[in-house]
Amino acid sequence: QVQLVESGGGLEQAGGSLRLSCAASDGGFSSYALGWFRQGVGKEREFVAAITWRGANTYYSDSVKGRFTISSDNTKGTVHLQMNSLKPEDTAVYYCAAARVEGYYSDSWVYGSWGQGTQVTVSS
């Protein structure tokens, strides 16, 4: 099973930026895409963004579209999430996940491996 390691979380003020990274131990060869999900305190886990390894097709939730950008480095098996114009409601633990099924990337059931998560806190 692929191991995923997230990095880059932290504390930022509203309007600021953070960049998250996720490294896949197998270089991405065993998955169709990498996705980011987040879970705030007392909230359900929600889809943020995803990118396919082949073709670099990107998908975003409406809540982050235009503010967040997902990108991939296939040579390193790494995916980045650039988060700009941060809002307090972006505060959550962010999880990276590897899709074992092609398509439906906004649905958590397609993801077979999950990272441990990284905390993002946005202060007002």
Side-chain angles (χ1 to χ4, degrees):
Q1 189 173 12
V2 59
Q3 303 296 316
L4 302 172
V5 179
E6 302 105 333
S7 61
L11 174 64
E12 182 59 76
Q13 292 184 337
S17 299
L18 284 173
R19 187 181 191 229
L20 305 183
S21 296
C22 176
S25 61
D26 66 349
F29 288 111
S30 66
S31 60
Y32 290 97
L34 279 193
W36 286 97
F37 286 74
R38 66 186 182 186
Q39 187 168 17
V41 175
K43 299 181 180 180
E44 294 186 354
R45 186 173 297 187
E46 65 172 347
F47 170 75
V48 176
I51 187 167
T52 61
W53 289 115
R54 181 178 295 180
N57 298 307
T58 58
Y59 307 84
Y60 296 96
S61 68
D62 288 342
S63 61
V64 306
K65 195 173 296 182
R67 299 189 297 122
F68 291 11
T69 302
I70 190 169
S71 61
S72 63
D73 183 345
N74 288 36
T75 63
K76 298 181 179 180
T78 302
V79 168
H80 305 288
L81 185 67
Q82 178 66 41
M83 306 185 295
N84 298 330
S85 301
L86 285 165
K87 303 176 181 180
E89 50 263 44
D90 294 320
T91 296
V93 177
Y94 283 70
Y95 298 90
C96 172
R100 59 186 174 183
V101 174
E102 189 172 14
Y104 306 99
Y105 296 123
S106 63
D107 295 333
S108 60
W109 66 269
V110 310
Y111 296 90
S113 300
W114 294 79
Q116 291 188 329
T118 184
Q119 177 70 47
V120 171
T121 303
V122 183
S123 62
S124 57

